[in-house]
Amino acid sequence: MKLFNKRQFLQTIATLSGGAILPTKSMESFFQEIEHLQPLELANDDAFWQKIRGAYGVTKDFIHLENGYYSLAAKEVLENYIGHIQRVNTVSSYYMRTRQGEDKLASRQALARLLGCSTEELIITRNTTESLDTIIAGIDWNPGDEALMAEQDYGAMLDMFKLQARRYGIVNKMVSVPLHPASDEEIVNLYEKAITPKTRLLMICHMINITGHILPVRKITDMAHRHGVEVMVDGAHAFAHLDFKISDLGCDYYGSSLHKWLGNPLGAGILYVRKEKIAKIWQLFGDMGYADDDIRKLNHTGTHPVATDLAILDAIRFHEMIGIQRKEARLRYLQHYWTDQVRNHPKILLNTPADPQRSCGIANVGIQSIKPADLAKTLMEKYKIFTVAIDYANVHGVRVTPHLYVSTKELDVFVGALKELAG
């Protein structure tokens, strides 16, 4: 049987499914009109961002301030995603056997460009946990080897380190990152003091998920490398949230999720492995179809819901229409819009640094004498404000993660609720 080329294939499945969904030209024209404005000029322009809000299907049932777990895909991205499902389903296994690999490669290439690395250093995973657990479990550990991390790191990765300790006899060493450091050096020194000649891997967050604290990754990485220690970065909340490239960080491994700040449908993440580090990482599944130094050996996913991978290109296109600099500036503005109003309140505790360079869209707030779980429950039941309670690792409050579609009027309601509850 003669196989279709890409153009013929797309024409065929578009015809069978009623036509492909095209990008929204009006959105492109809208962004072209504001190209001349600087990101900071737009950051506090609520009228502009209300138009952006219209591109999302925002719920009217509550004020959504827990977008850090899973943020909305834009309507355009969601519609394209549904279209991908329908079109792939139309030809089913024909697509899987003829187009799947090439299309996934296109998504990998786009993600690598966004991250600033080679395609040969990046694979698409399901989420940050899978990405970083692949590295933790893939290192050839010896009894007595040490791994260094913080108690504020994400629980799934901490659990994977505990599993390696049980299985291989490694030693996990823990530090606690201060909520309000005086300088970058305070944080760097904290990690450096815990390093010994047996330390093999240092895990750090690019942005701590429970507080929004942005760590000085490059300084920590340079310090660790001077001691011969590899660095793995949890970038779950930084990718498509902050304006950076992987070369800015200098790390050996980096993982992130695409359903958070990139706005991709659930089910996709990324894993970056520095090229020279790939060969020594053991794959989790016995896929022997790739050379030891080919990162695809770490990507044995079996039959996968490919529409999620196809939607990555749609999510990236929408993300780049907005622009990462505009996005970062607006998210930082929203966070400071509400935190600046409550930071000096005697009964309100902010668990996020005040320095604008140490945080962006995410922050954590608590109220004296109110347990975090009770605070989250009251905010939802009384004020219809959705947050998440955090009550561990020296962080006691609710995490607040507004996205671009959250308005300052909604944040005014939140501030009013905090002040009322603080009495």
Side-chain angles (χ1 to χ4, degrees):
M1 179 181 69
K2 182 179 179 180
L3 297 181
F4 296 153
N5 61 32
K6 183 174 183 180
R7 181 181 296 275
Q8 291 170 325
F9 175 79
L10 292 175
Q11 289 174 340
T12 299
I13 60 176
T15 300
L16 290 172
S17 61
I21 299 170
L22 299 176
T24 304
K25 297 298 182 183
S26 59
M27 285 294 293
E28 293 178 339
S29 300
F30 173 63
F31 280 104
Q32 288 172 358
E33 293 174 2
I34 52 87
E35 277 294 324
H36 64 287
L37 298 176
Q38 292 299 310
L40 291 178
E41 292 181 75
L42 283 173
N44 63 353
D45 187 341
D46 284 349
F48 171 82
W49 293 102
Q50 277 298 105
K51 293 179 182 178
I52 300 300
R53 181 185 175 98
Y56 295 89
V58 183
T59 181
K60 296 180 180 179
D61 294 336
F62 55 85
I63 296 174
H64 197 339
L65 297 184
E66 171 43 359
N67 297 281
Y69 183 3
Y70 167 30
S71 67
L72 305 186
K75 293 176 184 177
E76 177 182 311
V77 175
L78 182 60
E79 290 169 0
N80 277 282
Y81 171 60
I82 294 170
H84 296 316
I85 295 173
Q86 293 171 333
R87 291 191 293 276
V88 170
N89 186 67
T90 300
V91 291
S92 62
S93 55
Y94 179 80
Y95 172 83
M96 302 298 282
R97 292 193 182 278
T98 62
R99 291 292 317 153
Q100 177 186 189
E102 187 175 337
D103 286 348
K104 187 165 187 174
L105 175 60
S107 293
R108 282 178 62 212
Q109 290 171 333
L111 288 166
R113 175 181 56 79
L114 206 59
L115 188 62
C117 68
S118 164
T119 306
E120 286 69 40
E121 297 176 306
L122 181 142
I123 54 173
I124 299 172
T125 63
R126 287 179 294 181
N127 47 58
T128 310
T129 296
E130 180 177 283
S131 296
L132 300 188
D133 281 1
T134 296
I135 300 302
I136 298 168
I139 291 176
D140 197 9
W141 297 104
N142 297 308
D145 286 345
E146 293 179 356
L148 178 57
M149 63 214 72
E151 63 174 340
Q152 290 80 16
D153 289 332
Y154 193 63
M157 275 66 84
L158 296 180
D159 284 346
M160 182 57 87
F161 276 114
K162 292 175 184 176
L163 184 62
Q164 306 317 301
R166 287 173 56 191
R167 187 175 185 183
Y168 298 112
I170 72 170
V171 177
N172 295 321
K173 301 186 69 175
M174 198 85 68
V175 299
S176 183
V177 178
L179 296 177
H180 304 284
S183 65
D184 288 348
E185 286 64 38
E186 180 182 351
I187 299 173
V188 175
N189 292 338
L190 178 73
Y191 283 102
E192 186 167 25
K193 289 178 181 178
I195 290 176
T196 77
K198 294 183 178 181
T199 307
R200 288 190 61 185
L201 181 68
L202 168 59
M203 178 175 72
I204 55 173
C205 285
H206 194 167
M207 180 186 292
I208 296 177
N209 87 92
I210 56 177
T211 64
H213 186 171
I214 300 171
L215 297 187
V217 175
R218 187 59 191 241
K219 291 182 179 180
I220 296 172
T221 298
D222 288 346
M223 175 276 295
H225 285 170
R226 289 196 299 270
H227 291 279
V229 177
E230 294 182 334
V231 178
M232 180 178 74
V233 178
D234 177 350
H237 288 279
F239 186 67
H241 185 159
L242 304 178
D243 182 15
F244 74 97
K245 298 297 183 184
I246 198 70
S247 58
D248 299 331
L249 309 179
C251 60
D252 303 289
Y253 314 102
Y254 193 95
S256 189
S257 297
L258 307 185
H259 61 265
K260 296 182 183 294
W261 301 98
L262 185 63
N264 200 69
L266 283 168
I270 56 171
L271 170 62
Y272 160 84
V273 182
R274 187 187 293 272
K275 182 65 176 175
E276 61 268 26
K277 304 290 183 178
I278 297 171
K280 69 171 189 172
I281 299 296
W282 288 93
Q283 57 264 51
L284 294 180
F285 301 100
D287 188 340
M288 304 308 293
Y290 298 105
D292 286 344
D293 62 352
D294 190 328
I295 195 170
R296 290 175 295 174
K297 72 178 184 180
L298 303 176
N299 205 202
H300 186 104
T301 56
T303 306
H304 181 72
V306 293
T308 305
D309 293 345
L310 289 169
I312 290 170
L313 294 177
D314 303 308
I316 290 176
R317 193 188 69 80
F318 190 85
H319 166 79
E320 292 187 325
M321 272 201 304
I322 295 174
I324 184 58
Q325 292 181 346
R326 287 194 286 261
K327 192 173 183 179
E328 178 179 337
R330 177 61 175 181
L331 290 171
R332 182 172 282 111
Y333 171 80
L334 289 175
Q335 187 255 112
H336 281 275
Y337 179 86
W338 73 265
T339 56
D340 288 350
Q341 295 185 62
V342 300
R343 188 170 289 278
N344 296 320
H345 192 290
K347 294 185 179 180
I348 296 178
L349 308 173
L350 278 167
N351 300 310
T352 300
D355 183 347
Q357 300 308 308
R358 294 194 188 279
S359 63
C360 194
I362 301 175
N364 187 294
V365 63
I367 296 178
Q368 287 182 7
S369 76
I370 301 180
K371 294 180 179 180
D374 293 336
L375 178 56
K377 182 179 179 181
T378 302
L379 285 169
M380 188 61 181
E381 293 181 351
K382 183 176 180 180
Y383 302 96
K384 300 300 179 185
I385 300 171
F386 183 47
T387 60
V388 61
I390 306 293
D391 198 9
Y392 63 92
N394 200 34
V395 180
H396 309 289
V398 296
R399 187 180 71 174
V400 181
T401 53
H403 210 299
L404 300 178
Y405 37 77
V406 171
S407 69
T408 52
K409 289 184 179 179
E410 290 174 318
L411 292 176
D412 287 338
V413 175
F414 177 56
V415 169
L418 289 176
K419 290 182 177 179
E420 185 175 298
L421 291 172

